[in-house]
Amino acid sequence: MNRRTFLSSAATTAAATLFKPSFAMTNTVQRRVLWAANVRNKSLDDRLIAATEGGFDTMSIFPIDFKIWRDQGLSNADIRRKHDDAGVHAAIVDPFVQWAPNFSIPEGMPDDVRAFLDHSEADIFEMVDVLGATQINVVEGLGVQHERTALIDALGGFADRAQARGLRLGLEPMPVSSIETLAEGWDLVRAVDRDNLGLTFDTWHFWRSDPDHDLLRTIPGHKIFDVQMVDAKSALRGDLYNDLLHHRLLPGDGDFDLKTTVQILKDIGGFNSVGPELFSDVMDALPAKDVGRVAGQNLNDWL
C-alpha cells in the first residue's frame, strides 16, 4: 500500500473491552469530537446517531462525505439541518491536502483515491460555509518532499485566507507524510507563525513516528488545537499503512504509553478538544449506536 492509498481509505477501529485508567485524569474539555474515521462506512443519519449515543457534541467530516451526501440527493440545507437537529456541530473538515506547494494529482492515481483527494480550496470553503465549520485540518497527503520555504509560504498563504473567513487550521504530522513527526510539524507551525494555525495531535502518529515527550512539554497548549486519541499494539499488523487503516485500538487497549502522553497534554493545557479517531475493521462492523457507546464510554474513562 502506498502513501496515496492511505488517504483514500479513511476508516475506524473499535475494541470491545473498555479501558479504565488507574490515574487521576480530571480535565474540563471544551468539545468532544467524534472523528469521521470512527464512522467512515456509516450514513449521515447513522453518524449522527453514533455521536448522540456517545455524547459527542462535535464531528468532523471528510470532504468526500460532503460530495457523497449531495450526490445522494441531499441539499446543502438538508445536510446542515440534520446536524442542527441532532445538536451535533460539524466543526472540522478533515483532511485538506491541496494547500501544498504546486499540488497536482499524479497521473494514474486510482479513481477512488483521486475522488478522496480532489477537493479544491474553493470546495473546502464551500463545505465550511454550509456546515458552519470552524476548522480545517491540513496534511501533506502525497509524501512529496518540498523545500521548507515553499511549505512555509504555501501554508502561510492558506492560513491567511482561512483567517479572513474566521477559520483555524490544524496541521497534522503523520509518519506516512513528508511532514512525519511532531518535531517537523511544530517547526513548520512556528515558522509560519499565524495565530489561527496550530497542531492536530494524533496519538497514533505520535507513537508510530518519534514520540518525543520532552518536545511535547515545550509546546504551548493553546497551539494544540485537537487531540485524536488512538492506541495500537507495539508490533505492526502488516505494514504501517495496514496497521493505520485497519487495526487502531481504543485508548488503553494497546501498548502506547498514553498515560504519560495525556498527562503532558493536560499539564501544558493542550487537552481541550478531544476524541477518538479509530481506523479499524472492528469498528466498521459495529452498529452506529454501539460505535457511539463504546467510543463515548472510553473517552469518559479518560476524562
Side-chain angles (χ1 to χ4, degrees):
M1 185 181 293
N2 58 33
R3 294 177 188 269
R4 299 164 192 157
T5 304
F6 156 69
L7 279 175
S8 76
S9 178
T12 133
T13 183
T17 303
L18 298 177
F19 173 81
K20 300 189 177 182
S22 59
F23 54 97
M25 293 294 293
T26 57
N27 187 68
T28 302
V29 297
Q30 296 172 359
R31 64 183 183 185
R32 296 164 55 97
V33 183
L34 184 66
W35 292 87
N38 299 284
V39 285
R40 61 177 172 178
N41 65 339
K42 305 290 190 289
S43 68
L44 174 54
D45 288 342
D46 277 350
R47 293 178 185 212
L48 294 170
I49 288 171
T52 302
E53 186 72 19
F56 295 94
D57 53 68
T58 303
M59 291 184 67
S60 72
I61 73 159
F62 298 129
I64 188 66
D65 294 334
F66 191 84
K67 183 178 186 304
I68 288 172
W69 297 335
R70 294 215 302 202
D71 288 347
Q72 291 172 342
L74 293 176
S75 67
N76 289 347
D78 292 333
I79 295 169
R80 179 62 179 269
R81 176 182 52 76
K82 284 177 178 287
H83 284 91
D84 289 347
D85 288 350
V88 178
H89 186 197
I92 306 164
V93 177
D94 171 40
F96 177 55
V97 300
Q98 295 196 18
W99 65 272
N102 304 312
F103 183 91
S104 64
I105 297 177
E107 292 294 328
M109 177 171 282
D111 290 343
D112 59 339
V113 183
R114 178 179 294 273
F116 191 82
L117 299 178
D118 196 11
H119 306 280
S120 68
E121 181 175 311
D123 295 334
I124 297 297
F125 283 151
E126 180 190 8
M127 297 173 198
V128 164
D129 289 344
V130 170
L131 296 166
T134 57
Q135 183 171 315
I136 301 167
N137 271 13
V138 292
V139 302
E140 190 292 299
L142 297 178
V144 175
Q145 296 292 332
H146 299 281
E147 293 291 334
R148 184 171 182 271
T149 54
L151 281 174
I152 293 169
D153 290 344
L155 188 53
F158 184 52
D160 290 341
R161 295 189 294 278
Q163 178 61 55
R165 293 171 172 265
L167 299 170
R168 302 198 309 176
L169 303 181
L171 175 66
E172 185 173 353
M174 306 184 300
V176 291
S177 164
S178 64
I179 305 172
E180 297 184 18
T181 65
L182 177 63
E184 293 169 351
W186 177 230
D187 175 70
L188 184 56
V189 168
R190 285 189 301 169
V192 172
D193 192 24
R194 301 294 198 276
D195 288 343
N196 67 322
L197 175 66
L199 292 166
T200 295
F201 183 91
D202 181 310
T203 60
W204 192 97
H205 296 320
F206 177 72
W207 278 95
R208 289 299 194 206
S209 57
D210 179 19
D212 189 340
H213 281 138
D214 289 337
L215 171 63
L216 181 58
R217 287 187 180 93
T218 71
I219 298 176
H222 71 275
K223 298 302 276 186
I224 307 289
F225 286 176
D226 282 281
V227 177
Q228 297 172 329
M229 293 283 290
V230 190
D231 210 338
K233 297 298 184 182
S234 296
L236 291 173
R237 296 187 63 179
D239 61 16
L240 189 65
Y241 292 97
N242 185 70
D243 194 74
L244 166 64
L245 292 173
H246 300 285
H247 302 293
R248 288 186 173 206
L249 300 175
L250 286 167
D253 285 348
D255 298 327
F256 298 161
D257 181 11
L258 295 182
K259 173 181 175 179
T260 298
T261 304
V262 169
Q263 191 61 59
I264 293 171
L265 287 165
K266 292 181 55 173
D267 290 345
I268 65 174
F271 201 66
N272 302 304
S273 179
V274 185
E277 193 192 33
L278 302 173
F279 290 86
S280 159
D281 297 343
V282 174
M283 191 74 98
D284 289 348
L286 294 178
K289 281 192 174 183
D290 289 346
V291 170
R293 177 185 55 79
V294 170
Q297 183 58 61
N298 182 269
L299 182 58
N300 291 343
D301 293 339
W302 283 90
L303 299 182

